[in-house]
Amino acid sequence: MLKYISIIVFVVLLASALVPIVFAQGKTREEMIEWIAELDKRDAELLQQDAKYQVEINGITSERLELWDTETVLGKVAEWKIKHLKDETKKAKVHEAYQEALKYIDAIWENAGDGTGSTTFGGTEIIDLIRRQIALWLLPDDEYDEWMASWSNAKLVFQGKIIPLTSGMAHAKLLREDSSVSFLLKRENCFTIDGEKYALVERNYVVGITDDNYRVYLYRLDSNGMAILIEEVIREHFASEMKLFKYMEGCLQLDWKYLEEDKKESTWILLLE
């Protein structure tokens, strides 16, 4: 009798372990997008809660981390993407991105510190990372291939150093202060103008909670996959809704909005040969 019970328990545990894989393999892109949309809706509801104290804010962040659980959300989307790719090299790239994301998440917690807001700061960064990676994997095939062929493997050139990106992110050390600095490239901040590929890259201290050290740089991607710095375009103001377009020949215009404020700005960038 005990033998049969052991077999039943083993089968149940095995089935539980395979749930994410079965879930992912049996869904279409549209169904996966609908699933993520449901999570987005619940996430928005959590963010709308009235929290005045840090302990309450930390509690909301913990709920959000549970909602966007790495294995049950990021892992499922990774499995789905791998299942729906035919090219083995592309499959390996997804697996590599997933592993790198896990390492990045571990590093975020290691650097979060012990302050009262560390859970919120580190947790929010992790949630943003998971959502960005999911959005990339759920792109239509042609848009995903375009991303992988361009900015996904770009290397930023900054202050004489080459900083490789992992899923649009990178870390570097400032020698003069021994502080971690994050470079963040989001797909929505990449633009193609007159055949040239441009990106707005955000830089900030990993532990910074003010905009004192926040910068946005304009980069151009060359044919060798190197992202060349053109100009610093935003300084000491957290930015959102950034849009880059051609203003006139040899000149670009950047429209952007102060984060969480109804205030818009425009910046003009003169392109020099």
Side-chain angles (χ1 to χ4, degrees):
M1 184 67 178
L2 289 175
K3 177 180 178 182
Y4 290 115
I5 293 175
S6 299
I7 293 174
I8 292 172
V9 170
F10 173 76
V11 171
V12 170
L13 290 175
L14 179 61
S16 299
L18 290 176
V19 165
I21 298 177
V22 173
F23 174 94
Q25 290 180 350
K27 298 291 184 179
T28 64
R29 174 180 285 106
E30 289 71 23
E31 289 173 324
M32 294 294 284
I33 291 174
E34 288 177 4
W35 174 50
I36 297 301
E38 291 175 2
L39 298 182
D40 282 331
K41 181 179 179 181
R42 175 56 183 154
D43 192 47
E45 292 172 351
L46 290 172
L47 289 172
Q48 289 174 359
Q49 293 184 31
D50 184 20
K52 298 179 180 179
Y53 303 101
Q54 188 61 55
V55 64
E56 296 173 325
I57 298 172
N58 286 345
I60 293 173
T61 303
S62 296
E63 289 187 65
R64 295 184 68 211
L65 284 168
E66 184 176 352
L67 180 70
W68 296 103
D69 180 73
T70 306
E71 292 185 6
T72 56
V73 179
L74 189 66
K76 284 181 181 179
V77 181
E79 288 284 357
W80 174 86
K81 188 64 177 179
I82 291 172
K83 170 65 178 178
H84 287 75
L85 287 172
K86 296 180 180 179
D87 184 271
E88 292 300 323
T89 301
K90 292 181 180 180
K91 290 176 182 279
K93 283 287 187 180
V94 174
H95 179 74
E96 179 183 355
Y98 178 65
Q99 295 300 321
E100 287 294 334
L102 296 181
K103 292 179 183 177
Y104 193 87
I105 289 170
D106 288 341
I108 290 174
W109 282 131
E110 289 176 3
N111 295 323
D114 299 321
T116 56
S118 59
T119 297
T120 296
F121 189 81
T124 300
E125 188 176 358
I126 288 170
I127 293 165
D128 289 346
L129 161 64
I130 290 173
R131 296 178 73 183
R132 283 195 303 273
Q133 186 61 72
I134 287 173
L136 291 175
W137 284 336
L138 293 181
L139 285 172
D141 293 341
D142 56 342
E143 294 182 34
Y144 178 75
D145 289 343
E146 166 63 21
W147 170 263
M148 293 302 294
S150 55
W151 289 106
S152 175
N153 297 312
K155 293 179 175 60
L156 300 181
V157 179
F158 184 76
Q159 294 182 347
K161 298 181 182 296
I162 297 177
I163 306 170
L165 294 175
T166 301
S167 295
M169 289 156 290
H171 271 161
K173 288 285 187 180
L174 291 183
L175 298 179
R176 67 179 184 276
E177 297 181 31
D178 193 30
S179 298
S180 291
V181 175
S182 67
F183 289 82
L184 178 58
L185 182 152
K186 303 174 184 175
R187 182 178 175 273
E188 60 265 30
N189 292 336
C190 296
F191 307 87
T192 300
I193 301 173
D194 289 343
E196 296 282 0
K197 297 184 182 298
Y198 296 94
L200 299 164
V201 178
E202 300 171 70
R203 191 208 79 175
N204 197 24
Y205 284 87
V206 172
V207 295
I209 58 174
T210 70
D211 59 8
D212 294 349
N213 299 297
Y214 178 82
R215 305 286 189 273
V216 176
Y217 300 109
L218 175 65
Y219 276 84
R220 182 178 65 236
L221 189 65
D222 71 11
S223 58
N224 296 317
M226 302 297 290
I228 309 301
L229 177 63
I230 302 299
E231 186 178 324
E232 179 183 295
V233 291
I234 299 176
R235 183 185 184 92
E236 297 180 1
H237 291 293
F238 287 129
S240 65
E241 300 180 20
M242 294 184 283
K243 300 296 180 184
L244 186 72
F245 56 92
K246 183 177 179 179
Y247 177 70
M248 59 182 294
E249 196 64 37
C251 183
L252 303 179
Q253 179 175 331
L254 169 62
D255 290 344
W256 56 283
K257 184 178 179 181
Y258 286 93
L259 188 61
E260 299 181 351
E261 292 184 25
D262 190 22
K263 183 180 179 181
K264 297 181 179 180
E265 291 285 346
S266 293
T267 303
W268 287 267
I269 305 105
L270 182 64
L271 299 177
L272 302 175
E273 294 295 335

